[in-house]
């Protein structure tokens, strides 16, 4: 019986082994629970709004800066709007921008990285010099310059240039176009190692095309660093979006955003500090939760991780 128990970890599937390692990282596990809870509340924002009988966009200047009450659980903001609902709708925007922009940047970086690593030659040299140039540029000033461009001067139709959601999609596109460099370098390094493996040589001997080898055999085996890098970049994207919105170059009103809420709270900071405290605290918790989640995934996917992978080691039982 003891021998079977000792051999059980060696007989576990890779997914169960990764989950067991991830569960050792208590901070990562707590961060995952926090992010799932926050995402659930953000998705349920319209239902909560309907249940409370409120309108998150309704301006009531007679009820501005109201303290918490049974009707407004966290009070109202500088325009009399319900603060809790604004925070929930702001979470929808911040999480959407962070996750979508990080996934888009990871997709671009993965494609370019695997192509550079497998094909090599001039393509590798050109792509990696572009990646080096992108990494060397200061990200925030570059984003400020790109976000300050007037969409109307780019030849876009007036219906598109004046759309409420244009600022949202513009931030996603800008971050995706300039944020692929780190993932590209990680995938290139993994590709250089994987393309010499026996299974790639076997696929090449069977006549598989370069595209099939790259995207069917190499890229799936490089998903671990891609997943970790994407998770870590989500927090950075949320922070960048909040800074741009705080500067007035990101998400534009009436769309709710944590950064835009901080901007609106500047003039009433001494009268109602909670207007700045709540969005600032949510930005802090969300960013640090994604960072802890990335650390936990890195420990979980690392085959050399031992029992001390996370300092907050605990037990997580997987049944089934």
């Amino acid at each position: 019986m003891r021998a079977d128990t000792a051999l059980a970890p060696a007989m576990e599937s890779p997914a169960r082994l990764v989950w067991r390692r991830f569960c050792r990282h208590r901070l990562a596990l707590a961060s995952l629970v926090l992010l799932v809870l926050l995402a659930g509340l953000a998705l349920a924002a319209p239902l909560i709004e309907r249940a409370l009988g409120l309108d998150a966009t309704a301006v009531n200047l007679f009820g501005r800066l109201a303290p918490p009450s049974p009707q407004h659980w966290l009070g109202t903001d500088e325009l009399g709007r319900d603060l809790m609902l604004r925070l929930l709708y702001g979470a929808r925007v911040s999480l959407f921008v962070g996750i979508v922009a990080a996934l888009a940047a990871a997709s671009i970086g993965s494609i370019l990285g695997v192509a550079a690593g497998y094909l090599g030659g001039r393509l590798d040299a050109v792509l990696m010099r572009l990646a080096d140039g992108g990494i060397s540029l200061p990200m925030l000033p570059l984003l400020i310059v790109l976000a300050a461009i007037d969409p109307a001067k780019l030849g876009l139709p007036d219906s598109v240039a004046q759309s409420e959601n244009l600022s949202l999609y513009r931030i996603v596109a800008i971050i995706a176009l300039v944020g692929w460099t780190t993932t590209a370098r990680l995938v290139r390094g993994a590709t250089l190692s994987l393309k010499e493996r026996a299974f790639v040589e076997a696929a090449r001997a069977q006549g598989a095309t370069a595209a099939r080898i790259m995207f069917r055999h190499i890229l799936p085996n490089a998903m671990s660093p891609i997943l970790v890098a994407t998770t870590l970049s989500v927090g950075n994207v949320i922070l960048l979006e909040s800074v741009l919105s705080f500067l007035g170059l990101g998400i534009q009103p009436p769309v709710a955003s944590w950064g835009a809420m901080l901007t609106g709270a500047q003039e009433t900071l001494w009268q109602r500090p909670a207007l700045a405290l709540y969005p600032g605290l949510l930005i802090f918790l969300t960013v640090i939760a994604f960072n802890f989640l990335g650390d936990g995934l890195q420990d979980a996917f690392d085959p050399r991780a031992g029992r001390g992978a996370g300092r907050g080691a605990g037990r997580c039982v997987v049944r089934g």
Side-chain angles (χ1 to χ4, degrees), residues 62-79:
F62 294 101
R64 61 190 301 268
L65 303 179
S69 64
Q71 185 180 10
H72 303 284
W73 292 359
L74 297 180
T76 60
D77 64 4
E78 69 280 359
L79 295 179

Side-chain angles (χ1 to χ4, degrees), residues 17-30 299 306-318:
L17 185 60
V18 167
W19 175 249
R20 187 165 60 84
R21 285 174 175 164
F22 178 79
C23 288
R24 293 192 187 131
H25 203 299
R26 288 184 178 178
L27 289 175
L29 196 60
D299 290 342
R307 292 193 173 184
R311 290 191 176 182
R315 296 189 63 185
C316 186
V317 179
V318 180

Side-chain angles (χ1 to χ4, degrees), residues 137-155:
L137 290 174
M139 181 66 72
L140 184 56
L142 178 62
L143 291 177
I144 290 175
V145 172
L146 295 177
I149 298 175
D150 187 2
K153 296 181 179 179
L154 298 177

Side-chain angles (χ1 to χ4, degrees), residues 222-293:
M223 286 304 297
S224 297
I226 296 174
L227 183 59
V228 173
T230 304
T231 306
L232 290 172
S233 67
V234 172
N236 295 330
V237 172
I238 291 176
L239 196 58
L240 288 172
E241 180 274 321
S242 300
V243 173
L244 291 176
S245 298
F246 178 77
L247 296 175
L249 299 173
I251 308 302
Q252 300 298 318
V255 180
S257 169
W258 289 339
M261 292 177 69
L262 286 174
T263 302
Q266 289 183 95
E267 299 179 357
T268 59
L269 185 61
W270 296 108
Q271 296 175 268
R272 189 81 198 286
L275 297 182
L277 175 63
Y278 288 128
L281 183 61
L282 284 174
I283 292 172
F284 170 77
L285 291 177
T286 304
V287 172
I288 200 171
F290 273 109
N291 288 339
F292 281 135
L293 182 61

